[in-house]
Amino acid sequence: MSAVVDVAPLLRLYRDSSQGIVPSNGAGAPIPNQRIASLDVFRGLTVALMILVDDAGGAFPSINHSPWFGVTLADFVMPFFLFLVGVSVGLAFKNISNKITATKKVMLRAINLFLLGLLLQGGYFHGRKHLSYGVDVEKIRWLGVLQRISVGYLLASMSEIWLVYNIRVDSLVDFARKYYSQWLFAIGLCSFYMSLLYGLLVPSWEYEAPRMNLSAFSSGTQTIYCDVRSSLEPPCNAVGFIDRAILGEHHLYQHPVYRRTKECSINSPDYGPLPPNAPGWCLAPFDPEGILSSLMASVTCFVGLHFGHILLHFKEQKQRVLLWCMSSFPLLIFGFVLEMLGIPFCKPLYTMSYTCITAGASGLILCIIFYIVDVKRFRKPTVLLQWMGMNALLIYALAACDLFSAGLQGFYWQSPENNLVDGAEALLQAIFHSKNWGTLAFVILEILFWGLVSGFLHMKGMYIKL
């Protein structure tokens, strides 16, 4: 008997024949009650990438998040998750018997997801290297990865419930008529974001620099002079201003990526000591999953919705791949055009150009994985990723949020540094005669470990969901 805790389609989705979500065979005939494995593989790949960039990013800054402008491997992880949430929502709400009931369920799931994110990333758990827990309620971080996903899930699901017309899809024209209100809503989100990002006047502001870093500045209170519009630089952008005004500086992320910029770190693009003439904003808090940027991030969920609708209504495999490619390439091209026109790629602000290239890349990767896994049916090489995708939420909590490693570190010999986790990593660093390559080997083994754990859970029929 399967042990299943029912959860929102956050990082995976169960489907049955009543939802009508089935792949087709080469002749285009539907195959009933069969999973679309490529979605699980893509989800598992995203979780594996998250573990890789989080745990090995310090050793290899080139794969870590870009300090501010630009895009690296790590900057694709969040859009991949949001895109897959949209695909799942597009498949989950084909038949809605009662819109009010469906709305209540969506709101409850979004709240649960938000609260789980608050528990995991609000500051209560201190992560690896810290054998302690607890948070000052006056300094809880309100936003984070799961909170952003909950916002995207909520908006995408509400649009799927209330903005889709009851039209039978027999052609591309019918497809557009059925979903055009959703597209208009997504365009409205983009317009709202752009109008605030470029039109809102950001006033000068103050913050209290952390006491341990006061030697870098003349005083603890730092004044940041702004009084500008349209700035995308770290100190004076509208995204940070809105978060400070609504949430307060103590409830924001206290270690923002711009501390790795050349202005704020002598070891840029890695963290490091402040340069002699570091600007006052270097130690200021900034939340990369802020309010305004999360609204823009939700647009990636709507792109995923579009791909899920194509999967739902078009049964020919080649037709699906063709339509997905026709949707992905324009997004990529438009993103690069926007960048050339002066809208830079910036993950912390979730700029329009960044949204387009990451959503387009998400679509192309789904095309490739779908062709390999579901069309050509080469599944053995991707089975570990598929298992990880089936229990992505569990792996995220235990691995990406360091709950498992922090728990293991609680058992040590004589001193906290002598524990199984640090000992295994130090051993690999000694074997490879390199701290960086030893860390990478440790992270690869960590990913393999979670793949095997997921496989065991899959064989036992256990799937942890919200």
Side-chain angles (χ1 to χ4, degrees):
M1 182 176 180
S2 297
V4 178
V5 183
D6 190 18
V7 180
L10 157 65
L11 301 177
R12 72 177 300 274
L13 175 69
Y14 275 92
R15 299 175 286 277
D16 55 36
S17 58
S18 66
Q19 293 172 312
I21 304 162
V22 294
S24 62
N25 56 25
I31 303 173
N33 299 322
Q34 182 173 334
R35 294 185 60 83
I36 300 177
S38 53
L39 296 181
D40 287 325
V41 172
F42 193 2
R43 201 173 292 113
L45 174 63
T46 304
V47 174
L49 284 177
M50 174 176 278
I51 297 173
L52 175 67
V53 299
D54 284 352
D55 294 352
F60 298 91
S62 59
I63 68 171
N64 204 349
H65 289 290
S66 175
W68 193 251
F69 296 127
V71 178
T72 66
L73 180 62
D75 295 319
F76 285 91
V77 173
M78 172 60 78
F80 286 173
F81 275 129
L82 293 168
F83 176 83
L84 288 167
V85 169
V87 175
S88 297
V89 170
L91 300 178
F93 289 97
K94 180 189 176 184
N95 298 315
I96 303 174
S97 57
N98 189 309
K99 291 187 177 183
I100 300 297
T101 301
T103 299
K104 291 179 179 178
K105 289 181 178 179
V106 165
M107 294 182 67
L108 179 62
R109 287 170 169 175
I111 291 172
N112 288 339
L113 188 55
F114 189 95
L115 293 177
L116 177 62
L118 192 63
L119 175 65
L120 294 177
Q121 292 192 299
Y124 183 80
F125 296 105
H126 299 173
R128 190 177 165 185
K129 308 292 186 183
H130 298 88
L131 298 182
S132 61
Y133 62 91
V135 62
D136 184 346
V137 294
E138 293 184 352
K139 297 181 180 180
I140 291 177
R141 181 190 175 197
W142 292 115
L143 300 176
V145 172
L146 293 184
Q147 295 94 313
R148 169 168 285 182
I149 292 177
S150 72
V151 173
Y153 167 74
L154 178 66
L155 293 177
S157 298
M158 287 299 183
S159 74
E160 192 71 2
I161 294 171
W162 295 101
L163 297 181
V164 175
Y165 294 96
N166 187 21
I167 297 174
R168 178 182 175 86
V169 176
D170 294 319
S171 66
L172 288 175
V173 174
D174 294 334
F175 184 84
R177 290 175 57 215
K178 186 178 183 69
Y179 296 113
Y180 80 91
S181 292
Q182 283 186 338
W183 302 347
L184 292 177
F185 183 78
I187 293 172
L189 283 177
C190 293
S191 301
F192 178 72
Y193 166 85
M194 294 291 283
S195 63
L196 290 181
L197 183 67
Y198 286 97
L200 192 63
L201 177 66
V202 179
S204 299
W205 54 284
E206 296 181 345
Y207 79 99
E208 289 293 325
R211 293 183 179 180
M212 65 183 67
N213 293 293
L214 290 186
S215 59
F217 302 122
S218 58
S219 65
T221 301
Q222 297 297 310
T223 300
I224 311 301
Y225 297 98
C226 294
D227 297 315
V228 296
R229 288 184 173 91
S230 305
S231 175
L232 302 184
E233 297 295 332
C236 297
N237 60 78
V239 173
F241 168 60
I242 291 174
D243 290 339
R244 292 189 299 271
I246 297 178
L247 302 176
E249 68 175 74
H250 295 298
H251 297 288
L252 305 180
Y253 187 55
Q254 300 298 311
H255 306 282
V257 293
Y258 57 64
R259 291 193 184 180
R260 294 168 40 230
T261 59
K262 292 180 180 179
E263 294 90 340
C264 300
S265 171
I266 63 175
N267 296 331
S268 181
D270 199 1
Y271 290 102
L274 291 169
N277 298 318
W281 50 262
C282 280
L283 299 178
F286 178 87
D287 209 306
E289 282 83 37
I291 297 172
L292 184 59
S293 58
S294 291
L295 290 179
M296 188 63 192
S298 300
V299 174
T300 306
C301 288
F302 283 84
V303 176
L305 265 181
H306 173 67
F307 278 68
H309 294 154
I310 291 174
L311 189 61
L312 186 67
H313 293 291
F314 300 94
K315 303 305 181 184
E316 287 282 354
Q317 306 284 47
K318 292 182 179 180
Q319 191 177 23
R320 289 170 171 172
V321 173
L322 176 62
L323 291 174
W324 283 344
C325 289
M326 290 174 59
S327 302
S328 300
F329 281 112
L331 283 171
L332 283 170
I333 295 171
F334 188 55
F336 282 106
V337 169
L338 289 176
E339 201 273 339
M340 289 187 292
L341 292 177
I343 300 178
F345 304 137
C346 184
K347 190 261 183 186
L349 300 180
Y350 224 98
T351 54
M352 178 79 78
S353 58
Y354 170 79
T355 303
C356 290
I357 66 158
T358 53
S362 301
L364 284 181
I365 292 177
L366 178 60
C367 289
I368 294 170
I369 296 176
F370 180 78
Y371 183 79
I372 294 173
V373 175
D374 284 313
V375 178
K376 293 301 183 180
R377 307 187 70 81
F378 294 138
R379 297 189 176 182
K380 288 185 178 180
T382 61
V383 67
L384 282 179
L385 295 177
Q386 185 177 356
W387 290 341
M388 292 175 71
M390 291 178 177
N391 257 309
L393 182 59
L394 176 67
I395 300 174
Y396 171 80
L398 295 181
C401 293
D402 288 333
L403 295 190
F404 182 75
S405 59
L408 278 182
Q409 286 182 315
F411 297 94
Y412 56 85
W413 176 257
Q414 294 183 344
S415 66
E417 294 78 18
N418 299 326
N419 60 76
L420 181 62
V421 178
D422 290 340
E425 185 172 0
L427 176 62
L428 288 171
Q429 290 172 349
I431 292 174
F432 284 88
H433 302 287
S434 169
K435 183 177 180 180
N436 291 349
W437 290 105
T439 297
L440 179 61
F442 176 80
V443 173
I444 292 174
L445 289 177
E446 181 184 3
I447 294 172
L448 292 175
F449 169 78
W450 287 113
L452 294 175
V453 169
S454 302
F456 174 79
L457 294 175
H458 171 63
M459 293 174 186
K460 295 295 183 180
M462 301 174 64
Y463 307 99
I464 309 300
K465 306 170 291 166
L466 278 181

